[in-house]
Amino acid sequence: MNHLRIDIVSDVTCPWCIIGYKALEKALTELHGELDAEIHWQPFEINPHLGPEGQPRTENLKNKYGYTDAQVGQNQLVLDKRANRLGFEMHLDRQPTTYNTFDAHRLLHWAELKGKQSALQQHLFHLYFTNGGNPSDHDALIQCAEAAGLNATGAKEVLESDQYGDEVRKDQMKYVRLGITSVPAFIINDEYIISGGQPVDTFINDLREIAGHLSAA
C-alpha cells in the first residue's frame, strides 16, 4: 500500500478549503486499501491585513474580486450547496464578516504538536462556516480547542503570548516561495500539487496517478 503525506495549505475562512478537504476525505475513503494518507495543515492568510474587528464579507469580496451584490449572493448559494452535498453544513448567510486568522494558525501549529491538528481544523471550519463565529476571538478559539480534545489552559497560554508566530510566518513564506498564491493547495509527498476544491473523482484519479509515479520511482 502506498503511504502519502498530504500538506494542505489553507485558511480557516476559505470556503473552498473545507470543500476541497471534504472531497479529498471522500476520495481517500474510496481509495482505502490502495493508499493511505497522513494529513498536515499548513498556514495561509487570505486577509492578513485585517484587524481584529474584521471586515464585512460582502464588502471584502466586492473589493477583492470585483463582485456585484448579485454575484456575491449567487456565489454563496453555490458554495453552500457544494459543501452540503459533501456532508459539511455550510451557512454563509450566518457569517457577515471575514476575519484575520493569524492567531488561529498559531493555535493550529500548537495543535499539531499535540496530535490534534485535524480535529481543531474541523472545529474552526464549523465555527466560521456553520455557526457564523469569529476565528480571531480568543474565547471562541479556546472553545474550539477544548472541543478538539486540547487543554483549554494550554490554548489560552498560546493565544495570550506570541508563541509559534515566527514558525507560522516561516511556514507561510515557504509556500509563497513555492508559488502558492491561492488556496487550497494539496501538496503530495513534497512533489506533486493538486490545486483548488476539486471534485471527488478528480482527487481519486490524481491520487492514483501520483501513487503510481511514486511506486515506479
Side-chain angles (χ1 to χ4, degrees), residues 39-80:
I39 304 294
H40 297 267
W41 296 87
Q42 305 297 346
F44 186 97
E45 290 180 86
I46 297 174
N47 296 289
H49 59 287
L50 293 182
E53 73 285 353
Q55 181 183 32
R57 192 172 60 82
T58 297
E59 178 184 319
N60 180 269
L61 290 171
K62 289 166 73 173
N63 291 344
K64 185 174 289 188
Y65 303 113
Y67 288 172
T68 64
D69 287 331
Q71 286 172 322
V72 170
Q74 181 60 33
N75 188 55
Q76 177 173 299
L77 289 174
V78 168
L79 291 168
D80 280 357

Side-chain angles (χ1 to χ4, degrees), residues 15-199:
W16 287 109
C17 291
I18 181 57
I19 287 170
Y21 173 70
K22 296 304 288 186
L24 171 68
E25 191 176 52
K26 287 184 177 294
L28 290 172
T29 298
E30 289 289 324
L31 293 168
H32 180 71
E34 294 182 48
L35 56 84
D36 64 354
E38 172 190 340
I39 304 294
H40 297 267
W41 296 87
Q42 305 297 346
F44 186 97
E45 290 180 86
I46 297 174
N47 296 289
H49 59 287
L50 293 182
E53 73 285 353
Q55 181 183 32
R57 192 172 60 82
T58 297
E59 178 184 319
N60 180 269
L61 290 171
K62 289 166 73 173
N63 291 344
K64 185 174 289 188
Y65 303 113
Y67 288 172
T68 64
D69 287 331
Q71 286 172 322
V72 170
Q74 181 60 33
N75 188 55
Q76 177 173 299
L77 289 174
V78 168
L79 291 168
D80 280 357
K81 288 180 180 178
R82 180 116 176 231
N84 293 334
R85 282 199 300 268
L86 289 165
F88 180 84
E89 188 180 354
M90 183 178 285
H91 299 286
L92 283 172
D93 59 326
R94 297 177 183 173
Q95 182 50 268
T97 308
T98 192
Y99 295 98
N100 182 284
T101 56
F102 187 73
D103 281 347
H105 287 300
R106 290 197 301 115
L107 200 64
L108 282 163
H109 187 97
W110 171 71
E112 181 170 30
L113 301 176
K114 302 295 182 180
K116 299 285 187 180
Q117 190 188 38
S118 278
L120 177 59
Q121 182 75 69
Q122 304 317 303
H123 284 288
L124 292 173
F125 280 137
H126 279 290
L127 169 69
Y128 186 74
F129 292 113
T130 307
N131 301 323
N134 177 356
S136 69
D137 178 77
H138 286 189
D139 288 339
L141 291 174
I142 291 167
Q143 289 175 12
C144 286
E146 279 192 288
L150 289 155
N151 179 270
T153 301
K156 184 177 181 181
E157 288 174 357
V158 171
L159 292 169
E160 290 183 349
S161 70
D162 59 358
Q163 276 186 281
Y164 309 117
D166 289 344
E167 289 87 343
V168 167
R169 291 187 181 93
K170 182 179 177 180
D171 287 341
Q172 287 175 324
M173 288 307 302
K174 171 184 174 180
Y175 293 103
V176 168
R177 284 194 296 269
L178 287 174
I180 293 172
T181 57
S182 63
V183 288
F186 302 84
I187 303 174
I188 320 298
N189 284 29
D190 291 322
E191 290 188 57
Y192 302 91
I193 296 179
I194 302 172
S195 297
Q198 300 295 337

